[in-house]
Structure formats: structure tokens, C-alpha cells
Amino acid sequence: MSLPALPPAAVAVLACPVCGQQLGTDPAGLRCAAGHAFDRARQGHVTLLPPGGSPHAGDSAAMVGDRADFLAAGHYAGITAALADAALAGPPPATLLDLGGGTGAHLAGVLDRTADAVGVVLDASRYAARRAARAHPRAMAVVADSWSRWPVRDAAVDRVLVVFAPRNGAETARVLRPEGRLVVVTPSADHLAELVGPLGLLTVDPAKADRLAAGLEPHLRPVAATAHRAELTLDHAAVRTLVGMGPHARHLAEGELDRRLAELPQSVRVTVAVDVGTWQRGG
């Protein structure tokens, strides 16, 4: 089965990771005017890593699978809605870049609320990119290193979205158009509070907001902030999936999660609490 064509307006924001020139499509994938070519994988994504590759492998196949299942169940639909509310405030965006966008589920939710905007998911995980390539007909997926120079043209996108992923202030400012905005979703102190102690999960750094500002303010300025709160009722299978999709999965010994989970009620009330911040280029 042939792959659907890549959205031309999404391809137009991309830049060659070797020479920085604009990329265009060719029968195999993408190519720049200097002849650097990048094949499109059979799953639909394109890898645009910098020369020499990247030391960041991103999430594993198991983590990505858990994320896809948890989001497909609708547990974080409220977060997606809060993200879309912030991203679509102001002049309607035409191009969106989802940094560390994983499976593309949040980006797809934002695109569903627009008529013709396009999106690009950048993620270090090839497993995530495989799923993100099929997340929405007006989106494409790129394997890239968020800590290096992004394979994106200067001043090419209207919105950069970051949901529970690392930020890169300098690169965000470079790729945003003059009136473009960054929308960041970060966990609040009480996010998943009912699970943190009993399951031995990672806690939210109390200085997280200060660190976020310190990393962004040399390049961007805050313009809006909102909060989203909700309560979920999860069974053990959903809790296991929630834990497995995030960084907690890397810090629990084999069997430890099951042992701790067995001590919880069959239905667990869990707080969802996130902050949604909007930033613009400084000036």
C-alpha cells in the first residue's frame, strides 16, 4: 500500500539537517537543492538527524505503546483541549510544530479544531514517529534531536507546542514567526499525587516553573498562563499503562510496580493538574 503524500505546507517548514536549505519532496522522501536526500520510512516518517546522529534514542517501543493506549482511552482529553485553547488563541495559526510530540495525539487534537492548519511532530523516538506519521492527515512526523539545531527553517512556524517534553528556548525563538507563540504544558505539584507515594513515582520539582522561565526568558517572554485540573478514576490496568508511558517506567525495578499496585484499591482516583503557559519572542 502506498503512503499518502506528505502535506506540502508541512514539508515547507523543514530544513536540511546537513546544509540548512529548504527541503522538498521527491519520490523517495525529501531532498534539498544541494542534493542531500532523506528517505521516507515505510511507516511514513522521515529521519532528519544532524550529521553524526544523536545520542538521544527517545522513548522505547513499550513506552510509546503505553502512551498510545492511554491517550486513545481519552484520559488526557482535557489536557489536549487546554492545549488547543491556548494554541488557537489570537490569530489563527497555519503551521504548528509539536516538539517531543510522541504519538502525535495532542497535535491531532489541535488540528481537528482548525480548518486547514498543518503540523509537524519532532521526536527522538523512531517508535513514536511511526505512530505520529498516522496521527492526522494534515500532519507529518520527523525523527530529530530537540537538543541540536532543529531541521526547521528560520521564522517558519506559528506555534511550537511542548507537552511534558524538554524545551529549547533558543531554537524555539529561531523557528517562530515574529508573532508566533510557544505553548508549554507542564505538570503541577499535585499532578498524579495519589500515585506518587504509593507507587514510588518521580515527584515534580518544586522549582520546575523557575527552571522553565530561566530556560526560556533569554529568548521568549510569557504572555498568558492557565491551569487545567481534572480527576480520573482508573483501574489497575490503566494505572500500569500511565506509569509505563512516562519516565517513571525507567526508575522502577522489575516487579516492583505490580507489587505496589496490588496494594491500591481496584479503582483509583487520580488528580490531573497541569499548567499551560504561552510565550512569545522577546522584545
Side-chain angles (χ1 to χ4, degrees):
M1 181 183 297
S2 61
L3 293 168
L6 295 171
V11 173
V13 311
L14 297 175
C16 175
V18 179
C19 66
Q21 295 191 55
Q22 184 172 352
L23 289 168
T25 56
D26 74 1
L30 302 177
R31 180 183 295 270
C32 73
H36 300 121
F38 307 91
D39 290 345
R40 190 180 182 191
R42 59 184 177 84
Q43 297 91 348
H45 63 282
V46 181
T47 296
L48 298 179
L49 290 170
S54 168
H56 309 113
D59 290 345
S60 67
M63 293 173 68
V64 171
D66 281 342
R67 182 185 300 185
D69 290 344
F70 191 82
L71 295 180
H75 299 306
Y76 276 178
I79 293 179
T80 303
L83 172 70
D85 288 344
L88 301 179
T95 52
L96 301 99
L97 177 70
D98 193 355
L99 180 63
T103 64
H106 292 301
L107 175 62
V110 178
L111 291 176
D112 279 343
R113 288 177 49 179
T114 71
D116 53 10
V118 299
V120 177
V121 173
L122 292 188
D123 201 284
S125 169
R126 67 183 186 275
Y127 304 109
R130 290 171 183 174
R131 293 180 183 263
R134 306 187 299 271
H136 197 278
R138 284 185 273 122
M140 64 176 294
V142 173
V143 176
D145 184 354
S146 63
W147 295 113
S148 299
R149 184 180 177 90
W150 301 345
V152 179
R153 295 168 48 224
D154 294 353
V157 299
D158 296 308
R159 299 288 187 274
V160 173
L161 313 177
V162 182
V163 181
F164 298 162
R167 283 78 54 187
N168 185 325
E171 279 297 279
T172 299
R174 180 183 68 80
V175 305
L176 279 177
R177 290 177 175 150
E179 300 303 317
R181 297 180 178 184
L182 163 69
V183 181
V184 183
V185 177
T186 54
S188 302
D190 56 341
H191 183 58
L192 309 182
E194 297 85 355
L195 301 178
V196 170
L199 298 185
L201 306 186
L202 301 175
T203 59
V204 176
D205 182 355
K208 191 177 187 71
D210 293 337
R211 290 193 295 105
L212 172 64
L216 295 179
E217 283 183 349
H219 315 283
L220 303 152
R221 59 183 177 86
V223 294
T226 60
H228 168 74
R229 295 182 64 86
E231 187 178 84
L232 305 176
T233 300
L234 304 178
D235 60 19
H236 283 193
V239 172
R240 186 180 288 106
T241 303
L242 171 60
V243 174
M245 77 180 197
H248 317 285
R250 301 187 179 104
H251 297 272
L252 291 172
E254 185 176 357
E256 181 67 12
L257 175 60
D258 288 338
R259 184 186 68 78
R260 290 176 177 244
L261 193 56
E263 298 175 357
L264 293 179
Q266 288 301 311
S267 292
V268 186
R269 293 182 180 272
V270 180
T271 298
V272 173
V274 300
D275 298 315
V276 183
T278 301
W279 300 68
Q280 283 188 327
R281 286 169 54 174

